[in-house]
Amino acid sequence: MGSSPFIIVAIDGGAASGKSSSSRILAERFNLLHVDTGSFYRHLTSELLRRGVPHTDLPALRAVLPELKFDTRLEGRSARMLIGGQPAGDEIRSAAVNEHVAHYAAVPEVREVLIGYQRGQADVARQHGFRGLVMEGRDIGSKIFPAADCRFFLFADPAERAKRRAAEGRQDVIGQRDTIDSVRLNQSAQGAIAIDSTFLTLEQVVDRLAADIAAKLGA
Ligand code: CDP
Ligand code: CDP
């Protein structure tokens, strides 16, 4: 095991395409650090809303963003982002954050402030003895780790994705977020292995991803 390579797995895709569920299982199976970058954008959105800085107020964003200090806390195999030492609470899944997050995430200054932090998760994974990292989001294979060992793009029919969110009892604005996220979604799909999960179970999706990762690890 000591000789196996450190592996970076990038999983991109729209809301409820199965990124988080599959990443968590892969992290367990291959001893990878799981990094949900959507939770980072959600946490940052929640913090900016709390501070009363709208996504349209660029001067205020430029003043506040450099002040924020980002750290990581491990919870099991998952990386949790701390802002000013504080972890995210349940409010990052609230209707307000669902509604605003894609707007904040579309602001280049907001994305810029998280790039180095996201790339630094590979160091966190190495320092804690993980065999690699599985990071999920909208631009992981296109922007954060374009040289990732495995690049996947998950998608599913919008109606199926809405059904999945509803089954979780979560109110969401999937279609609205997809539209705002569309440029990044298209870019992250380029050159990635695309998997349509509309008619696949979560287990089938994971098996497909795991086969590629195992091949890369030589396992
Ligand atoms: O879980 P779900 O796919 O519904 O969303 P999420 O991964 O929690 O991401 C919330 C929002 O953050 C997305 O709709 C994007 O606007 C933004 N995001 C992004 O722009 N880039 C990422 N790498 C991850 C999330
Ligand atoms: O992270 P993302 O928003 O892409 O999706 P998720 O939170 O992993 O998946 C949303 C829900 O769909 C979860 O309850 C999964 O168990 C479910 N799911 C499914 O039913 N079939 C799949 N092929 C993938 C996910």
Side-chain angles (χ1 to χ4, degrees):
M1 210 159 108
S3 61
S4 64
F6 183 88
I7 190 168
I8 295 189
V9 179
I11 304 186
D12 291 297
S17 59
K19 302 181 298 298
S20 293
S21 319
S22 52
S23 297
R24 272 194 291 269
I25 298 171
L26 293 169
E28 285 299 324
R29 195 174 292 184
F30 293 103
N31 186 25
L32 308 176
L33 176 66
H34 169 221
V35 187
D36 171 3
T37 63
S39 73
F40 298 169
Y41 281 94
R42 288 172 176 276
H43 191 10
L44 183 52
T45 294
S46 172
E47 177 66 17
L48 292 168
L49 289 172
R50 192 184 68 78
R51 289 172 178 244
V53 182
H55 69 89
T56 46
D57 189 344
L58 215 46
L61 283 173
R62 284 181 178 145
V64 166
L65 289 169
E67 284 176 10
L68 302 177
K69 189 171 179 308
F70 304 107
D71 292 297
T72 303
R73 174 190 292 170
L74 289 196
E75 281 176 21
R77 292 185 198 283
S78 288
R80 295 270 172 262
M81 183 172 83
L82 309 178
I83 302 182
Q86 297 301 311
D90 292 344
E91 77 287 349
I92 69 163
R93 308 278 161 201
S94 66
V97 171
N98 280 341
E99 190 190 326
H100 289 97
V101 62
H103 292 288
Y104 282 100
V107 177
E109 283 80 353
V110 169
R111 305 198 71 76
E112 195 63 32
V113 83
L114 288 178
I115 290 176
Y117 175 74
Q118 290 171 92
R119 290 187 178 142
Q121 297 308 302
D123 300 326
V124 173
R126 284 192 181 90
Q127 283 155 13
H128 288 86
F130 289 96
R131 220 173 162 189
L133 150 136
V134 53
M135 183 177 280
E136 38 138 340
R138 302 291 189 289
D139 61 350
I140 309 310
S142 49
K143 173 91 184 177
I144 304 302
F145 289 117
D149 300 278
C150 299
R151 286 185 56 200
F152 300 110
F153 184 81
L154 300 186
F155 67 103
D157 187 80
E160 168 63 22
R161 293 190 287 124
K163 216 165 73 185
R164 291 178 187 168
R165 272 287 180 270
E168 293 176 310
R170 286 167 61 183
Q171 293 277 334
D172 205 341
V173 284
I174 287 182
Q176 192 180 305
R177 286 200 285 123
D178 277 357
T179 306
I180 304 170
D181 295 336
S182 62
V183 173
R184 276 174 291 286
L185 283 169
N186 289 335
Q187 285 169 346
S188 63
Q190 305 287 319
I193 295 173
I195 297 163
D196 181 354
S197 75
T198 309
F199 302 108
L200 299 180
T201 64
L202 181 57
E203 291 69 25
Q204 288 171 320
V205 173
V206 169
D207 285 347
R208 173 72 186 77
L209 304 175
D212 260 62
I213 297 171
K216 284 277 167 10
L217 283 169

